[in-house]
Amino acid sequence: MLRPVTAHHAFEACVEQLAAAIRLGVYPQGTTLPAERDLAARMAVSRATLREAMAALREAGLVETRRGRGGGTTVVQR
């Protein structure tokens, strides 16, 4: 589902791909997304670009991020 981003607007492409994957159930509610490093590598973007995309997904209410041990980014789909 996730593929390397080739567009000039990598941030927007990341948001679109991740939001689509969440809405299609690739990452169902309650699922923890793969690590930032893994997602960035899969999508062939920098970690900074991926962090921006995650911030947009948090603002949209699709994911929630917790820090620390046992943390990560979880799909909430409010």
Side-chain angles (χ1 to χ4, degrees):
M1 177 78 198
L2 300 179
R3 58 194 181 285
V5 173
T6 57
H8 283 353
H9 304 287
F11 156 75
E12 293 169 356
C14 285
V15 172
E16 288 173 14
Q17 282 190 41
L18 288 166
I22 290 168
R23 289 189 181 111
L24 291 172
V26 174
Y27 298 112
Q29 187 168 358
T31 301
T32 300
L33 295 178
E36 182 180 273
R37 180 172 306 188
D38 297 335
L39 282 175
R42 254 190 241 178
M43 300 176 87
V45 295
S46 72
R47 289 175 71 184
T49 297
L50 185 68
R51 281 188 199 116
E52 283 184 65
M54 288 299 185
L57 293 172
R58 276 193 300 276
E59 281 186 36
L62 293 174
V63 299
E64 178 177 277
T65 302
R66 280 181 244 148
R67 293 183 183 199
R69 189 177 191 143
T73 302
T74 306
V75 176
V76 292
Q77 238 179 340
R78 293 184 189 136

